[in-house]
Structures are given as C-alpha cells and as structure tokens.
Amino acid sequence: MILLCILILLALCGPAHGACGKTCGLRPMPPTFSSSRVVGGTNVMPGYGAWAGLASVRILWEPPLTLHICGGTLISPKWILTAAHCFDNVTTPMKKWAIVLGATTLGQIGPEVEVHRVKRLIVHEKYNIPFILHDIALLELVRPAKCSFTIQTACLPSPSTKLPELTNCYIAGWGDRIVKSAGNDILQQAKVPYVDRDTCNSTEWMDGLIHDFQVCAGQGGIATCQGDSGGPLVCQDKNRGFYWQLGVTSWAIGCARYKRPTIFSSTQYYYNWIRYKTGLNFHVPVVTPTPAPTFTSAPLQTVPAGPTQPCPLPREKLLQFFNLLKDILRYLKEKLF
C-alpha cells in the first residue's frame, strides 16, 4: 500500500508534458487489478489516468447521456484515428458525435477529462464493408485537445521505421463485455502476443485472409471484443523508450478464440494516407529509456529527462489522490471480506 501511494504521488508530481503533439507514446501504462473482461484483460485503475492516447467515440443522446460506440486514439491535438466500420449504417449527423479523452471509466467526469465535438469524418476511399478491408477512418475535432497526464498522443510508425522486436504489446478498450456488465464500465487492458503474417495466414490460423495492410495479435482467451473496435494495438520500443501504435482494432472471428487473433488495420501501411488527409507531420521523440518498476502486467513508462520542479500538490491533485486511495481501500475491502 505504501509503495502504491508513493507511485501515485510521483505520477501526480511528474514532469509537465510539452505542447500536445510534440511528444507521443510516453503515457505511463497504469497499474491494474485483475478482471475477466476485454477478454482476458485487467481493470485499469480508476483515478490514475487514461491509457496512451485512448479515446471513447460516442453518440450523444440527450446530454449528458452518451453511448460508447468504439475506441480511437488521439494522434494530434485535432485528430482521432479509429475504424471505418464504427460508422456503418449510422445516420446520426457528426454534430451528434462526441470524443471523450482522459477517462478511465465511461461515466467519469472531472478536470482530467475532456469532451470534444466532431467537425468531420474521413473514411478510407477503398473501405469495403462486406469484407472489412481498408478499415480505417479519421475524425477531426472542432477544437484541439490539451495534453496532460491523462491525455497524450499516440506514436505512428512510418513505412521506413524499423520496428523493434514485438514482444511487449497491449490492447485496451471498453468492449461489449464491460458495457453489458451492470455497474462496471472500467477501461480494460491486456498484454497480447503479436502474430506474424505468415503464421496468421497459415491454414490452421486465418487461412490466407490477411492482407499486407493488416496485422494480427491476440490468442485464445486474450483479445478484443465488440466495442473495442477502433482502439489501439501498441508495442513497446525499449530502445527508444515509448510505445508504437501498430494497429487499429478492426475485426475477429468471435472473441479470443484459439488461433483466431484480432485483425488490426496497420498504421504503418496507412501512415502516408493519414498524413495526406490530415496534413500532419509527425515528430517521434528520441528517448533514453531507464528501468521502470513493474507493478502488475503492464510496466510504467518513463518520460524524457528534463528539469524538475517541486510538486506543489494543488487542491485538485490532492483530491485526485485521496479519491484514488478510497478506490483502493474499497477494492481491498471487497477482496478481503
């Protein structure tokens, strides 16, 4: 418990983030509690901040009521990357859509959370609904997001980027199993094995269904499910100290079946399309990694070294700390009694 409190205080007093979009993939992977959702995933602890760049794509009913439709990732202050199939057969106008950033639970409100309206939707020109091909889309926000401890941008690899050994990969989302679990809307994350294309396309696996614009990850018992679509597949680059987003959750045969991994749209393949449609020039930080403490299944990510200042612990951060402490005590009480 003492160690947990120290880690939380260090997080709250961590170095300030630079201008949104100048760094990416540096968001700490929050500590987790065991769970049975995002199939085989774990609860991301409420109050500790959101996952790297993760967004909840929602339809507005009568405010403040919203319906979570898909996941997405913030790739710049004004752009969200998601899946095209999230908008199949949806007639709701864009002004009725909303993007929620910085949340761990779907009902979370507070200064760490931002709600954005959508200016326009861009679906890939070759998107094929029947076969779910080129399943990628972009959402432009009406106003830019502000990076903070709970909101950061994801890192996208260019076609020429030499990717690291893909042994430390994660998925996250608020999938169907969470939404339908009464009173439980906690963000889930899971470590998943990356599956190379030759294996994924083999007869025993996906039998030739996978194209060069797709990547595979997941295994029996651990994978995404309905409602996780549009969310990220990220893999750690230990040499440079951050996480690459390698995929956008697209489809799967069932949820977490044996030799039926999740299929993701490859961000490396669509990198130039994303740049062309958004006009963005991505900047990848050069970070010297330092050993990070392992809390549970996901490590805490480091941020670039820089000048430090004493943390004044303003009132809102103290409130955040004590609210989180209450969540921890409540969890321990439920487990013990």
Side-chain angles (χ1 to χ4, degrees):
M1 175 64 73
I2 294 174
L3 175 60
L4 178 59
C5 293
I6 291 172
L7 286 171
I8 295 168
L9 283 170
L10 287 173
L12 292 174
C13 295
H17 298 289
C20 199
K22 296 298 182 182
T23 59
C24 62
L26 300 178
R27 176 73 184 90
M29 303 286 272
T32 61
F33 290 142
S34 294
S35 173
S36 59
R37 293 174 279 288
V38 156
V39 189
T42 53
N43 287 341
V44 174
M45 213 163 63
Y48 197 82
W51 217 69
L54 190 63
S56 171
V57 180
R58 309 185 189 184
I59 289 179
L60 293 168
W61 285 347
E62 292 298 325
L65 297 178
T66 61
L67 175 65
H68 172 80
I69 300 297
C70 278
T73 45
L74 186 72
I75 59 171
S76 83
K78 288 198 71 174
W79 290 95
I80 298 291
L81 181 66
T82 187
H85 79 261
C86 295
F87 309 94
D88 288 354
N89 304 316
V90 174
T91 58
T92 307
M94 279 296 107
K95 66 180 181 179
K96 290 289 187 179
W97 289 77
I99 303 297
V100 178
L101 301 167
T104 302
T105 61
L106 290 178
Q108 185 175 342
I109 57 174
E112 72 281 3
V113 177
E114 288 188 9
V115 180
H116 290 263
R117 292 299 183 94
V118 176
K119 182 177 181 180
R120 61 172 167 150
L121 164 68
I122 300 176
V123 173
H124 197 281
E125 297 81 2
K126 294 183 179 180
Y127 171 52
N128 182 298
I129 294 179
F131 297 99
I132 323 180
L133 304 177
H134 301 290
D135 185 17
I136 196 163
L138 293 159
L139 293 167
E140 184 179 8
L141 305 180
V142 171
R143 60 182 176 86
K146 297 179 181 178
C147 278
S148 65
F149 178 71
T150 58
I151 300 172
Q152 288 192 30
T153 53
C155 284
L156 304 183
S158 71
S160 61
T161 299
K162 185 178 180 180
L163 295 174
E165 186 179 358
L166 303 177
T167 57
N168 202 23
C169 300
Y170 293 86
I171 55 174
W174 291 274
D176 186 63
R177 296 191 177 202
I178 305 170
V179 174
K180 291 185 178 179
S181 178
N184 194 345
D185 60 355
I186 302 172
L187 175 64
Q188 302 290 294
Q189 69 175 15
K191 186 174 182 179
V192 293
Y194 180 86
V195 182
D196 66 82
R197 186 171 291 113
D198 288 341
T199 300
C200 198
N201 255 336
S202 65
T203 304
E204 291 186 354
W205 287 67
M206 300 302 292
D207 197 19
L209 291 176
I210 309 309
H211 301 266
D212 58 354
F213 48 78
Q214 296 167 323
V215 295
C216 306
Q219 63 184 18
I222 305 176
T224 58
C225 204
Q226 285 83 7
D228 295 322
S229 295
L233 167 69
V234 299
C235 296
Q236 187 179 26
D237 188 328
K238 294 182 179 179
N239 294 327
R240 286 180 277 191
F242 55 86
Y243 286 80
W244 291 108
Q245 181 179 345
L246 298 190
V248 174
T249 305
S250 181
W251 62 276
I253 298 175
C255 293
R257 294 182 183 178
Y258 180 62
K259 292 188 177 180
R260 296 294 183 266
T262 301
I263 312 305
F264 301 83
S265 296
S266 168
T267 55
Q268 194 165 31
Y269 181 93
Y270 293 107
Y271 181 87
N272 288 328
W273 178 83
I274 293 168
R275 287 188 60 192
Y276 175 74
K277 292 297 181 180
T278 62
L280 295 173
N281 286 312
F282 297 108
H283 302 282
V284 177
V286 178
V287 183
T288 302
T290 56
T294 301
F295 206 85
T296 55
S297 62
L300 290 173
Q301 181 62 27
T302 58
V303 297
T308 59
Q309 296 179 350
C311 177
L313 283 180
R315 180 174 179 274
E316 60 269 22
K317 289 193 178 291
L318 285 172
L319 287 173
Q320 183 183 357
F321 169 71
F322 285 116
N323 286 335
L324 179 54
L325 195 57
K326 285 192 295 183
D327 289 334
I328 296 167
L329 292 173
R330 187 182 304 113
Y331 171 84
L332 292 176
K333 183 178 179 181
E334 292 173 355
K335 286 295 183 183
L336 292 175
F337 302 103

